[in-house]
Amino acid sequence: MGDGVLFTSYSALISTNRATDRRLDQIVAWAAQGEEPAMFCGVVAFDECHKAKHAAPDGRLKATRTGEAVIELQRRLPRAKLLYVSATAASEVKDLAYMERLGLWGEGAPFASFADFTSEMSAGGMCAMELLAMDLKARGLLVSRMLAFSGCSYEVLTAALTHEQRLLYDRAAALWGRVLDVFDAALAPHDGCPYAPGGGGGGAGGATGGSTAKHVWSSHQQFFRQLLNSLKASHVLAQTEAALSAGYSVVLGLMSTGAARMADAEARAGAGGASADALGGTQMEAVSAPAEILRTLLEKHLPVNGHAQLAAARDALIGDVERLGLPPTALDIVVSHFGPERVAEMTGRKRRLILLPNGSARTESRARPNVPLDQVNLHERSAFMRGEKRVAIISEAASAGISLHADLACANTQPRMHITMELAWSAEKQLQQFGRTHRARQAQPPHYKLLVSDVGGEARFAATIAKRLAVLGAITRGDRRGASGASFARFDYDQPQGQRALELLFLALGDGGHEQRLWERFRAFFETKAAEAQQVQRAAAEAAAAGLPPSHTRRFESGSG
């Protein structure tokens, strides 16, 4: 191959052929053109470079092959001009490991190593990251362009659980306590007995059997995440109906669809003798994603090993799951409420579940007449952009590379109401999903609504995403609000009040949840902070009376009181 432009994917960069020749070596040889690779002076552009962000080991996690390949290519072509291109380059300092050519660490650089760089930047916090971005811009090493968020509006809505929903949540938590007890007993037998009722130390720390423990705690997190999604569905429906009445087209964003859980339930229904209906679907019971998550954990990952007592405990827990009355999957609730004919579903699932008035459900293929399954998302998008469907649902599968904004070139130029049902696992993916409804050449800017329940666990998760969005803006634009155009400070619990609240929670657990003692600790804490605030105010008043500038008084940090 002679001179020209070579395009390759990141997956190809780490691939080998049958003779075990690496694609990376072939790329370097092409760039060298028979000379030393070090003589290559062309341009190497890493588009969507965030795919290489895990280039440095992090604790027990190894560096990814993609990240290592990107670094190796840069080192083998030392005179090449490097271009890093991404809308979501980094949401943590450690994500910058692949950007070696910025000259921030190494010989002759301000920091001796990448480890030193991350240590100092992390210690400096958000301000240090903003200063880093401004320094890179000043030296011509960073160009940050982004569609302005002017005109966009944001709301954070609290989806308060009803009394009945709280009772259900508490019953689910109690059931998980028993599940963890059984796993503890199975992984740490007592006196030769594979299952000892009440054993296992309460289920909090005994389930440490390698991969089994990972399945337990992963399922635990997914269970409550899906449960909250389903409990918030009624709020989503109300917000969507109100937006449609106000003349909006609505985009609902979530990450998970429960497709795998539906497939498990459908297979079990088929094994139980369920027959296909006239439309090729299956009549079955409604599927609850959280229930299927817990059932799968018990059936596939509890090490029964032929012990009758443990098997009986497992079967009893599965029965308890079925009797708990967990709600259907959130996506099924929304699609069934409006009907598939009114909803443009852009997800990765092949089949969907339609909830019926009698409490049962029917599965059906998402493929439409003359529309193959691999084209159905594009068909649904077109229906939404033409205004034939005014409600769109996007999952992680449709959170990049698709436009749903009020495009001037399309028939549907209604303003967009973008409601986030479920936050993404990473700030980058969340930002990508926000970008589906905010694009160039739009007739109307979108209105964003972030729906978060009043359960502390979800608020804490939102705090993590909010902080990473801030880091993303600080690193790439020099402004912690630059990534999303909004401030999510209300979710930032990583401050003195949040740390103190966590301490009080642990103390309350140690007291057995005694409400009076917990309230006394809270009152003492806030009385102390109020006294500190009054002291600062008096000092400021005295300084002003003495004609001293405000800098002579101790500044009261609002984040600590």
Side-chain angles (χ1 to χ4, degrees):
M1 184 185 297
D3 292 338
V5 179
L6 176 65
F7 291 90
T8 185
S9 65
Y10 287 98
S11 57
L13 197 62
I14 61 175
S15 64
T16 59
N17 60 19
R18 294 182 179 179
T20 68
D21 296 324
R22 298 195 309 161
R23 182 68 68 187
L24 178 60
D25 295 331
Q26 296 173 343
I27 293 172
V28 172
W30 172 80
Q33 295 288 302
E35 300 181 1
E36 286 294 321
M39 301 304 295
F40 176 73
C41 297
V43 176
V44 177
F46 292 107
D47 191 20
E48 304 291 350
C49 60
H50 57 269
K51 293 182 180 293
K53 67 179 183 179
H54 299 297
D58 182 20
R60 294 179 297 174
L61 299 177
K62 297 181 180 179
T64 62
R65 292 173 60 200
T66 300
E68 291 176 333
V70 167
I71 290 179
E72 181 182 347
L73 182 61
Q74 295 177 76
R75 292 176 179 176
R76 293 179 66 179
L77 303 174
R79 298 181 65 186
K81 282 74 173 177
L82 267 295
L83 182 63
Y84 306 105
V85 184
S86 175
T88 52
S91 60
E92 295 182 80
V93 178
K94 63 182 180 62
D95 293 344
L96 297 172
Y98 63 92
M99 295 188 180
E100 290 193 331
R101 293 294 184 85
L102 292 180
L104 296 173
W105 59 87
E107 186 177 354
F111 301 94
S113 65
F114 181 67
D116 292 337
F117 171 74
T118 54
S119 176
E120 292 293 333
M121 293 300 299
S122 298
M126 204 75 67
C127 294
M129 298 173 200
E130 290 175 328
L131 287 173
L132 170 66
M134 289 187 283
D135 176 68
L136 293 175
K137 286 183 178 182
R139 292 193 285 150
L141 296 174
L142 173 64
V143 176
S144 182
R145 295 289 183 266
M146 194 171 185
L147 186 63
F149 281 90
S150 56
C152 298
S153 51
Y154 299 82
E155 271 186 273
V156 179
L157 302 179
T158 299
L161 270 58
T162 65
H163 177 68
E164 292 75 16
Q165 290 175 332
R166 287 187 172 277
L167 291 177
L168 175 62
Y169 191 95
D170 290 343
R171 290 197 300 270
L175 176 59
W176 263 97
R178 298 199 300 275
V179 168
L180 294 176
D181 279 344
V182 173
F183 270 93
D184 282 349
L187 296 173
H190 297 268
D191 300 325
C193 176
Y195 174 59
T208 56
S211 62
T212 300
K214 294 179 182 178
H215 286 300
V216 169
W217 294 113
S218 173
S219 299
H220 181 273
Q221 187 177 48
Q222 293 176 27
F223 174 92
F224 285 103
R225 185 176 169 92
Q226 291 295 330
L227 177 57
L228 287 175
N229 286 345
S230 296
L231 296 179
K232 290 190 295 184
S234 59
H235 294 271
V236 172
L237 297 179
Q239 290 291 330
T240 303
E241 293 282 14
L244 292 173
S245 299
Y248 285 88
S249 285
V250 181
V251 177
L252 302 176
L254 47 74
M255 288 291 122
S256 48
T257 63
R261 312 304 173 186
M262 190 190 81
D264 292 341
E266 193 173 9
R268 191 167 58 250
S275 58
D277 60 19
L279 298 177
T282 303
Q283 295 285 342
M284 56 189 294
E285 294 296 321
V287 176
S288 171
E292 288 297 323
I293 290 170
L294 188 46
R295 181 174 186 135
T296 299
L297 175 68
L298 291 167
E299 290 180 341
K300 296 184 178 180
H301 301 292
L302 180 64
V304 175
N305 299 326
H307 294 292
Q309 286 178 295
L310 201 55
R314 177 199 60 198
D315 295 342
L317 286 172
I318 291 175
D320 291 340
V321 172
E322 295 174 348
R323 288 187 291 272
L324 193 57
L326 293 169
T329 305
L331 179 57
D332 296 333
I333 294 174
V334 175
V335 173
S336 299
H337 175 83
F338 292 103
E341 67 281 357
R342 296 178 60 197
V343 176
E345 179 186 338
M346 286 159 276
T347 67
R349 64 177 185 172
K350 299 178 180 180
R351 299 178 64 78
R352 61 180 162 220
L353 197 71
I354 303 301
L355 305 178
L356 303 176
N358 62 4
S360 64
R362 176 176 57 81
T363 64
E364 65 179 30
S365 173
R366 287 188 59 224
R368 300 293 91 189
N370 303 319
V371 181
L373 195 57
D374 61 350
Q375 297 292 315
V376 69
N377 280 351
L378 295 177
H379 176 77
E380 294 283 74
R381 176 195 173 274
S382 297
F384 180 75
M385 298 302 282
R386 289 193 301 266
E388 297 169 7
K389 299 183 177 183
R390 294 178 58 204
V391 178
I393 299 180
I394 55 174
S395 69
E396 184 177 354
S399 292
I402 192 169
S403 297
L404 300 172
H405 62 300
D407 195 335
L408 287 169
C410 297
N412 184 5
T413 57
Q414 289 183 326
R416 303 304 196 244
M417 178 75 73
H418 190 139
I419 302 175
T420 299
M421 296 174 57
E422 176 186 11
L423 285 168
W425 291 100
S426 70
E428 294 92 336
K429 290 181 179 179
Q430 189 60 58
L431 188 60
Q432 288 281 359
Q433 193 173 92
F434 283 157
R436 297 315 94 209
T437 51
H438 183 47
R439 319 287 287 177
R441 199 179 59 178
Q442 61 187 9
Q444 312 265 9
H447 179 71
Y448 294 98
K449 287 190 176 184
L450 185 62
L451 201 62
V452 181
S453 72
D454 56 352
V455 174
E458 188 174 30
R460 180 64 185 88
F461 179 76
T464 302
I465 299 301
K467 189 166 186 177
R468 290 187 177 181
L469 278 171
V471 173
L472 180 64
I475 291 178
T476 60
R477 295 180 61 80
D479 183 354
R480 66 195 68 185
R481 298 165 299 178
S484 60
S487 174
F488 295 99
R490 62 171 290 183
F491 291 114
D492 185 10
Y493 299 114
D494 189 11
Q495 52 180 308
Q497 298 104 309
Q499 295 169 7
R500 181 56 179 162
L502 185 61
E503 293 175 8
L504 292 170
L505 173 62
F506 289 149
L507 289 171
L509 292 174
D511 287 340
H514 194 287
E515 293 184 8
Q516 184 59 35
R517 284 197 290 271
L518 178 61
W519 170 245
E520 290 173 357
R521 287 196 174 100
F522 266 114
R523 185 174 59 186
F525 172 70
F526 286 109
E527 286 178 350
T528 300
K529 292 303 177 184
E532 290 179 358
Q534 291 175 358
Q535 182 180 357
V536 170
Q537 291 172 353
R538 285 195 300 269
E542 293 172 359
L548 297 176
S551 59
H552 284 252
T553 63
R554 184 172 66 87
R555 180 174 175 267
F556 179 67
E557 295 288 349
S558 61
S560 63

